[in-house]
Amino acid sequence: MMRSAIVVGASKGIGAELVTLLAQNPSIQVLALARNIQSENKWEAHKNVQVHNFDLQSENAKVELQNILSTVSSIDYVINNAGYLVNKPFLELSQEEIVDSYTVNVLGVMSALQVIIPKMLPNGGHIVNISSMGAFQGTVKFAGLSTYSSSKAALTNLTEMLAEEFKDTKLKFNCLCLGAVQTEMLAKAFPGYLAPVTASEMAEYIVDFTLNQSKWMNGKIIPVSLSTP
Ligand SMILES: NC(=O)c1ccc[n+]([C@@H]2O[C@H](COP(=O)([O-])OP(=O)(O)OC[C@H]3O[C@@H](n4cnc5c(N)ncnc54)[C@H](OP(=O)(O)O)[C@@H]3O)[C@@H](O)[C@H]2O)c1
């Protein structure tokens, strides 16, 4: 049976690798969303991939997403992978940087899920939120990431809240708190640092988790990291 998956934040980094892996499964219809994705469609050869420009920061994000999903009858998997990272001392953060962090990392996800969840309720499905180790309680914290990590922590908590609210449905919500992955986002925030994991390696884990683990967990916050402790 054909299933469908939405990847939000799909144009580069981990998100692009998620789409590439999901596209290899012809029984999955993939909707790949990001602000700049249509101009450079990497998956033109894959009939099961649709790309749509979509901005979580748009004032009309909900209407725009409704339009994108108007022809989609059901959704089985959602990976909320978009992220905004600013590495700056707390006292130097502009209001815009704080608002943008919260909009991309949590408020936009809430708006998107208000559109997506009603379509998933009849058949159920798995919603996976991509957060960060910095948002996981008790981990080593990095100065400069106050607005990034605190907004990701809100996403982490949102996962638990939605799992609770929808526990009597067939929906499952889980959150993966990623450690460092070698992407454009990381290179920009921490120039010179080399992560132990590539975007395609991390995508392999996330796709497997999304497709196979909702049977075993709901409302869980899972650290996915090689760092110790
Ligand atoms: N890399 C790491 O070390 C690391 C560690 C922990 C957690 N994470 C998390 O993993 C996820 C992927 O990170 P990455 O390193 O692959 O980042 P990336 O290379 O910067 O990719 C981020 C993706 O999000 C999309 N995006 C950004 N703003 C958006 C918006 N307003 N609306 C829609 N899409 C938007 C970007 O596409 P457009 O620019 O085309 O919109 C891009 O496809 C993020 O949530 C990040 O916080 C990463």
Side-chain angles (χ1 to χ4, degrees), residues 8-16 33-37 54-58 80-85 104-105 130-133 148 152 155 176-186 195 199:
V8 184
S11 61
K12 57 188 175 190
I14 299 164
L33 315 184
R35 286 169 304 178
N36 308 301
I37 198 162
F54 173 64
D55 185 354
L56 287 162
Q57 290 167 277
S58 160
N80 286 312
N81 172 75
Y84 176 96
L85 189 157
V104 177
N105 294 340
I130 303 300
S131 185
S132 162
M133 279 302 277
Y148 172 73
K152 284 288 187 181
L155 178 66
L176 299 177
C177 291
L178 310 188
V181 182
Q182 199 56 46
T183 65
E184 201 178 303
M185 176 188 279
L186 187 90

